[in-house]
Amino acid sequence: MTTLPDDIEQLKAMVLQLQQAADIAQAQASLAKEEVLVAQEEITELKTQIQLLIEQLNLSQSKRFSSKSEKVAKGTFNEAEQQDIAEPSTQTTKKTGRKPLPEALEREVITHEIDSPCCECCQSPLHQCGVETSEELKIIPQKVTVIRHERVKYACRQCEKTQTSSRIITTPKPPSLIPKSIGSAEAFAAVVTAKYVDALPLYRQVDILTRSGIDISRATLANWCVQLGMKVQPIIDAMQSQLLNEKLICADETTVQVLREEDRKAETKSYMWVYRSGEFVQSPIVIYDYHPSRAGRCAQAFLSGFSGYLLTDGYGAYGTLKDVTHAGCMAHVRRKFTDAQKASASKKAGKPEVALSYIAKLYAIEKRSKQLSALERQQLRQQEAVPILAEFKTWLEKQQVLPKGYLGKAITYALNQWPKLLTYLDDGDISIDNNVTERDIRPFTTGRKNWMFSTSVNGAHASANLYSLVMTCRTNDISPYYYFRHLFTELPKRLPTDDLTDLMPWNVDLSNID
């Protein structure tokens, strides 16, 4: 037992010494505790990073080796498809076998007969008792011909007798979009169709023409495309004016490279913006609009004066438009949950499958509403889609997941876009997604893989105009080649003040084409 001193000062010194020792011990304990907490936080952060890297690896492998479809696989959470399967099918069984060749194709009939038909048994003459037919497809490579214009000259015999000079009158040549060019409307239409419909680069077209003995340079063909694209601007302006008067416009954008652009490097990305009518419009319009930027001012410039519904993805530039009612794209929500599903290391159905199941139910409703009127479609959505959406939102808000993970990003995106995703419930003419516009961008991206870039800004604008006409023809089930041939023939005859309504793709009658 320690004997305490009687002196107060000594006692105070001992108490102070003990207090200092206790403080040191407490400080060391706190430091050790902080080090443990820091270590735990570092471990948690490392686990998070590992999980994100695993998700990225799984998604990368899935995109590289797996199916590209976003459809939900059949399984526990695929209730919408299970309901569809349970319903009796009204579709008729498709006939198998070879499809007949189109009746509209010209037929070349070749009759095959026996030289001396006689019976092998009795040598008696045979009589014809029927015909057995079969058809083969005949393809002739591109046919190139020359149109020779012979302009008759006229003179007056009376003036020749009575005047010191006689005036000679020459029959005028039909007008051309590119005066003094060796190209006809048919040639222009063929070049434009090959490049903007078939994605055939101009240098390959030069090779094809060379095989026919025609020596036309790539620069000449490029000049044709640029001039034709600029000359059809009045048609594009008229289409834009009509598009801006519709209740719904769908919009999207994709990259394009322009080599020679002022104050910009050749490798700098530019953008092709695409605007089109809604999915349910009778005569849809598709317009490509080139801009060197992806800023909101590009959309503002094109959509100036428009005050209807605007259907887009979640890109923020569209949010700068104040006079429109924004509608969201459910396909982008589905795509993010599909990525989360592919990124998940678990083989069992989990949260991504639950979300995809809700979305599948919504698309099942849309599939049944395709043939309905706009009002009937809206009523069906209000009755069946609204409860599903409410349940889906409640489920999204309850989820506790890694915010930076693919599932967390998908949930955050869906909740941020939620008011826009509900807009399609307000009007039956609005689609649940923007896939129709993405399908109109796909031909451009396919062609871009072949020709890679535009050389100049004028070339990019010209390509935008010609792609606009090509895609508008496609969406209206019109042959682009025959439309271009008609347009390039008729447009030079028109004055700037003339009405061009009859030259719009959906108004041109191509039933009597030769």
Side-chain angles (χ1 to χ4, degrees), residues 15-31:
V15 170
L16 181 60
Q17 185 178 3
L18 291 173
Q19 183 64 44
Q20 289 176 348
D23 291 341
I24 293 174
Q26 185 177 1
Q28 290 176 345
S30 299
L31 182 60

Side-chain angles (χ1 to χ4, degrees), residues 36 139 154 218 229 358 367 379 410 414 416 506:
V36 171
I139 300 177
Y154 299 88
R218 179 181 176 277
Y358 282 116
K367 184 177 181 180
Q379 292 173 346
N416 289 341
W506 54 89

Side-chain angles (χ1 to χ4, degrees), residues 95-108:
K95 295 182 179 179
T96 59
R98 182 186 301 170
K99 294 182 179 179
L101 297 173
E103 291 294 333
L105 292 179
E106 178 184 350
R107 255 62 177 181
E108 176 185 345

